[in-house]
Amino acid sequence: MDISNIQKKERPFYLTKLGARTMSNFKRIAVSSAVLSTLVACGGGSSGDTASITGLAATGAAMANAAINAKCTTGSTITGTTDANGMFDLKLGDRTAPCLIRVTKGSTTLHSFASASGRTNVTPLTDIVVARAFGGRPSDAMESFSAATGSKIQTGLAAAKTYAKTQVTALAGSAPAGDILTGVFKVGDADDVILDKLKASLEAAGKSYDDLRVGAATGGTLEATLDRGKLIGEPTTLATLTASSIDALTAGNGLQALTGLAKCDVKVIKLKYKTVGVAGEAASSSAVMLAPTGTCTTAAGLVAYAKGTDVQKTRTLANPEDPETFLLTAMYAANGYAVVATDYLGFADSDYSYHPYLHADSEASAVIDSIRAARNAATKVSANLSGKVMLTGYSQGGHASMAAHRAIERDNANEISVVAGAHLAGPYNLSGSFKLPNAIAGYQFFVTYLVTAWQKVYGDIYTDVNSAFKPAYATGIENLLPSATLNYTTLVTGGKLPGALGETPDQARDALFQAAFITDSRTNDNSPLYLAGKKNDLLGWSPKSKLLLCGGSGDPTVPPAIHQLVMKADFDTRSLSNVSSVDVDPFIKSVYGKVLETSPTTYYGNYHGTYEPPFCHAQAKAVFDATTKL
């Protein structure tokens, strides 16, 4: 489209009237500064009355008649609309650049950054530049834009432009010769064709501009972003469990009272898929897909599951005999749901060098890409998916499933239709947990795992391993978890972690960690561990779909008072009517009360890992049933 003959804008009505009036009575023609300020803020004013940010908004085609707004380091938000050719003219008035710009048309939102008045374009390439320079989502920068935010983006611009040109060349074959932000181009020219090619690459990969933003924010390769969720090799059917065999097992282990009788046979399928690591780099993971079959032929909703803390590197859920896999089989797949459950980064067939334990963003990407992998595998394994997605996970998986729920609704809502999430016994308030004076059950496993994983992710949790861990355990501890050969029992019986002598959680903590390290994380709000916890807390977001929190008030490992209740209270501050919370402790006591009476140690030792999960999964299924009307 040729935009060289864009007509000049008409003079604003108030200036036309002023020009026609006599100047004999000043009071009759004076326009208050307040009125002028309002008009300028709405994009009014004529050329020459104030400095402007002008440019073209395009994705290949012009973003015609699109909403545009800009936030500058001073002054109110500028709002306006692009013209029929995607051009815009934003009057700065008394505002001070730099300014962050956002253009929205339909489901497409793009951002750009103006260091000063003059030409600034808004395209998918400028969106990539802003995400990389900010090191995060441009929408977050827009919401809290300030002089500090502007300075951060400005500082990162040069490197971000280089990054964008490199990445776009890989995807579209070339990049603009001029400046991505300020270069002059028009719809239909060579630079605009690059935008068309980029859009074609996205569509071929089933991805969106949202995915490019997420990838650019981490600084990873955008080729890896477009590959996310693609299958590596063919899906492998490991077994088909008949409904009668499932019933026999649930009758024998007592689950049938919660799962009901199986309605479907279930295929157990192994998947391997492409995902990304903590820095957006290419990575892989494996997963199990459970597909209802036999008499169950209607389209199935897909339950995406995230597993609990696992210390065994070689373990995979793609194993029909795994207890966690069987629980998913009996509770969901045998009742007509398809299931996909990731092994996470760093486990089983993953090529990632470590597991980034309780790192919210990489947990989310592993879950999201497992959903994509299951969809890519569906036709290959004769699975019929309805398009509806439900998210759930237990313990670490509760944290991972909620992180995925948040990420999908924020970044992938047009691709993945989440109808409900049920997040079970998850540690949502990690920073708050560091303030506890007493250690949780399993402290030596979970906190060791977290500290060493976050050291790999952030690099600043401690300056030297000996400053965090005591000498008896420091050697080799950074690569201890997950282990290729050891499990929870042999980690302590083999002396790798304390606990073999019946130590209490506090005693295990004090034997393992340097006192100064623990005290710092508990008392210093600027400690690296506490700040990393804040980055991975899940407080402060508002789900759009139905959300259930589940846990047992007697849980000694993930205490609901620190996590579930704090999470619910946080949701309640925003008066969210779609969030509910349930305590399954009464159900647990009704079944295992005798164990509590005779052996409290056994009772609490089994509470989180054995007693609690089936009851919370039954609550999750009830929510999913009500949501999907299965």
Side-chain angles (χ1 to χ4, degrees), residues 53-95:
I53 299 172
T54 62
L56 171 62
T59 60
M63 296 182 74
N65 305 311
I68 183 168
N69 56 71
K71 287 186 177 181
C72 304
T73 55
T74 62
S76 58
T77 300
I78 310 171
T79 62
T81 306
T82 64
D83 68 14
N85 299 292
M87 300 297 293
F88 58 87
D89 185 349
L90 302 175
K91 306 300 183 186
L92 287 176
D94 61 357
R95 300 168 188 81

Side-chain angles (χ1 to χ4, degrees), residues 150-162:
S151 177
K152 179 179 180 180
I153 295 173
Q154 184 70 52
T155 300
L157 274 187
K161 290 176 184 179
T162 299

Side-chain angles (χ1 to χ4, degrees), residues 428-435 521 529-531 533-534 537 539:
Y428 318 114
N429 177 30
L430 289 164
S431 64
S433 71
F434 298 142
K435 300 298 185 183
S521 66
L529 183 60
Y530 178 80
L531 292 176
K534 295 291 286 185
D537 286 344
L539 306 174

Side-chain angles (χ1 to χ4, degrees), residues 304 306 390-395 397-406 418 420-428 538 541 543 545-551 564 567 571 579-582 616 620 624:
M390 290 130 283
L391 297 160
T392 191
Y394 185 79
S395 192
H399 183 269
S401 62
M402 186 181 287
H405 195 163
R406 179 182 66 176
V418 174
H423 312 301
L424 319 176
Y428 318 114
L538 296 175
W541 74 290
S545 55
K546 190 169 183 61
L547 185 147
L548 171 73
L549 298 169
C550 181
Q564 182 178 344
M567 191 76 244
F571 285 138
V579 174
S580 59
S581 182
V582 64
C616 274
F624 298 163

Side-chain angles (χ1 to χ4, degrees), residues 311-312 445 486-500:
V311 298
Q312 296 175 269
F445 305 107
L486 304 175
N487 57 30
Y488 282 109
T489 299
T490 54
L491 281 165
V492 296
T493 59
K496 298 296 184 181
L497 293 171

Side-chain angles (χ1 to χ4, degrees), residues 52 78 92 119 240 272 288 307-308 333 378 390 424 427 461 485:
S52 300
I78 310 171
L92 287 176
R119 175 86 180 200
T240 298
K272 186 175 181 181
V288 66
K307 67 179 180 176
M390 290 130 283
L424 319 176
I461 303 301
T485 58

Side-chain angles (χ1 to χ4, degrees), residues 403-417:
H405 195 163
R406 179 182 66 176
I408 291 169
E409 291 193 343
R410 180 189 60 210
D411 301 324
N412 305 105
N414 293 326
E415 176 191 358
I416 299 172
S417 175

